[in-house]
Amino acid sequence: MATVMRLGRDRVFSSSLLLILLLVFLLTSQTLAFSSPSAFVQNVIYSNRIAIFSKSYCPYSIRAKRVFSELHEKPFVVELDLRDDGAEIQNVLLDLVGKRTVPQVFINGKHIGGSDDTGAALHNGELQKLLDVKIMKY
């Protein structure tokens, strides 16, 4: 009788352990999916009015950020050189926009491009339209 009870207890323990391991696996895989570089990039682009993927030392990135500073706008900036997953994020950008160079600028989910594209959009008024910003002309 004791052996039968022990076998039943072992079977319950094994089933419980299996259930716990399954739950841990499912929760971990969902967490990894949400924290993947691709999910991160999509979240940044669509959760922020202005998003810039940048490198802190890059003169082109600095120039693009300066454009928004002069418009008194505060973009959400991802400094790829300061992140462990920066190279992976650049690969996601390559898949998304065909370039892995920085900066890559997005406004209201729309890809603007790099530094030169951002400057051109400023000069032709597209940037102001996308941001709904009025520029004072003197």
Side-chain angles (χ1 to χ4, degrees), residues 107-125:
I107 299 176
N108 297 320
K110 180 182 181 197
H111 181 238
I112 304 304
S115 178
D116 291 343
D117 302 310
T118 302
L122 174 68
H123 293 296
N124 71 22

Side-chain angles (χ1 to χ4, degrees), residues 39-60:
F40 174 77
V41 168
Q42 294 292 330
N43 187 44
V44 167
I45 291 170
Y46 294 110
S47 298
N48 296 284
R49 187 167 174 240
I50 306 166
I52 302 176
F53 294 90
S54 169
K55 289 193 177 174
S56 61
Y57 59 82
C58 172
Y60 301 103

